[in-house]
């Protein structure tokens, strides 16, 4: 897929003859598109049009990886979905760092719902990990520099949520060590739209960061959420 600025995003499309909904899917930091497809393979063969994509600068997409471009990338993928499938509802399934993009995109009138696994507060995640490390005296200044680089438009979408239109499903394992459970609860509480929070119970230790892969009941709940 070629963006307005000429950057090419790596995209894989799965399209049945008469889809009932359109689902766009992006992964977490450094996840390859093949990994994202395998992780969310439960979405296939469900009469859903599914678009898996990598942000620019990620995996095999061209361009420069940047928090300031990720939201624009997702907006343009959604715009393409609207043009191609104007008569069916649109959903966004995201994980980890790209949940911040899902929270911003949830304000878009064209988006029916978002699934946010391992949601994170992008404003404070770097500080959180820096403070937990034995090298916090060294990492905290770096974390602050990272936080300063976050665009205001993106930072505002996490804990200062307002005007959301999309229904939201939050999924988080209580033992997740990469994206803190307490941050996900704060984000959920701040979300102004229709919402549900699901505590994941099946996951792979020691990180407990990816639960959908291992939980068939959770996969079924997501499919029901999309079908509503």
């Amino acid at each position: 897929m070629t963006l307005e600025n000429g950057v090419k995003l790596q995209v894989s499309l799965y399209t049945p003859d008469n889809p009932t909904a359109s689902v766009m899917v992006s992964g977490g930091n450094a996840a390859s598109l093949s990994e994202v497809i395998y992780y969310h393979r439960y979405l296939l063969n469900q009469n859903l049009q599914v678009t898996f994509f990598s942000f620019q600068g990620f995996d095999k997409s061209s361009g420069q990886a940047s928090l300031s471009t990720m939201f624009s990338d997702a907006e343009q993928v959604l715009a393409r979905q609207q043009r191609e499938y104007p008569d069916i509802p649109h959903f966004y399934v995201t994980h980890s760092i790209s949940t911040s993009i899902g929270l911003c995109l949830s304000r878009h009138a064209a988006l029916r719902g978002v699934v946010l696994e391992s949601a994170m507060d992008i404003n404070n995640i770097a500080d959180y990990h820096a403070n937990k490390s034995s090298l916090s005296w060294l990492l905290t200044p770096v974390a602050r520099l990272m936080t300063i680089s976050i665009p205001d438009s993106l930072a505002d979408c996490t804990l200062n949520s307002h005007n959301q239109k999309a229904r939201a499903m939050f999924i988080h394992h209580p033992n997740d060590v990469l994206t803190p459970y307490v941050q996900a609860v704060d984000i959920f509480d701040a979300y102004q739209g229709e919402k549900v929070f699901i505590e994941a119970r099946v996951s792979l230790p020691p990180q407990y960061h990816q639960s959908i892969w291992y939980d068939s009941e959770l996969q079924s709940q997501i499919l029901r959420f999309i079908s509503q």
Side-chain angles (χ1 to χ4, degrees):
M1 175 179 171
T2 302
L3 303 180
E4 295 171 352
N5 61 359
V7 166
K8 296 184 182 299
L9 294 189
Q10 185 184 14
V11 174
S12 288
L13 307 175
Y14 294 81
T15 308
D17 290 336
N18 296 293
T20 56
S22 171
V23 184
M24 47 190 288
V25 185
S26 62
N29 187 34
S32 69
L33 196 62
S34 60
E35 291 173 320
V36 175
I37 294 170
Y38 188 73
Y39 188 67
H40 292 285
R41 63 192 183 280
Y42 64 93
L43 293 170
L44 305 178
N45 302 314
Q46 299 291 337
N47 207 36
L48 301 172
Q49 191 285 324
V50 188
T51 299
F52 298 97
F53 72 98
S54 292
F55 298 104
Q56 61 179 285
F58 285 74
D59 202 14
K60 296 180 181 177
S61 295
S62 63
Q64 185 68 39
S66 168
L67 289 171
S68 64
T69 59
M70 290 171 70
F71 178 64
S72 175
D73 292 351
E75 268 194 317
Q76 291 185 60
V77 173
L78 178 59
R80 176 198 173 280
Q81 300 298 86
Q82 288 181 269
R83 291 193 301 270
E84 295 290 326
Y85 307 97
D87 300 322
I88 59 176
H90 301 280
F91 293 83
Y92 187 17
V93 176
T94 77
H95 175 250
S96 196
I97 191 172
S98 62
T99 58
S100 297
I101 310 305
L103 285 163
C104 284
L105 207 62
S106 69
R107 302 176 181 184
H108 203 296
L111 199 61
R112 174 75 62 84
V114 291
V115 177
L116 308 165
E117 185 192 14
S118 302
M120 55 180 280
D121 178 5
I122 200 169
N123 307 291
N124 295 312
I125 190 69
D127 267 338
Y128 172 83
H129 284 291
N131 291 334
K132 287 191 66 176
S133 170
S134 61
L135 297 176
S136 60
W137 61 273
L138 176 62
L139 295 177
T140 298
V142 177
R144 304 230 183 265
L145 184 60
M146 289 177 61
T147 303
I148 290 172
S149 69
I150 299 171
D152 290 341
S153 58
L154 185 57
D156 178 60
C157 293
T158 304
L159 289 178
N160 299 317
S161 305
H162 55 83
N163 297 327
Q164 278 88 354
K165 299 182 182 353
R167 293 186 292 114
M169 172 183 278
F170 289 79
I171 300 168
H172 214 101
H173 197 288
N175 297 333
D176 189 337
V177 299
L178 297 182
T179 53
Y181 180 82
V182 65
Q183 287 191 3
V185 172
D186 287 343
I187 297 168
F188 173 79
D189 289 342
Y191 195 85
Q192 298 299 304
E194 183 182 343
K195 58 191 176 182
V196 60
F197 192 101
I198 298 175
E199 279 194 0
R201 292 300 180 183
V202 181
S203 192
L204 183 67
Q207 295 179 336
Y208 298 97
H209 187 56
Q210 293 177 301
S211 297
I212 292 175
W213 196 337
Y214 311 97
D215 192 335
S216 58
E217 174 55 30
L218 192 52
Q219 296 171 9
S220 297
Q221 288 178 287
I222 294 170
L223 290 171
R224 287 196 294 270
F225 178 82
I226 291 172
S227 67
Q228 293 173 356

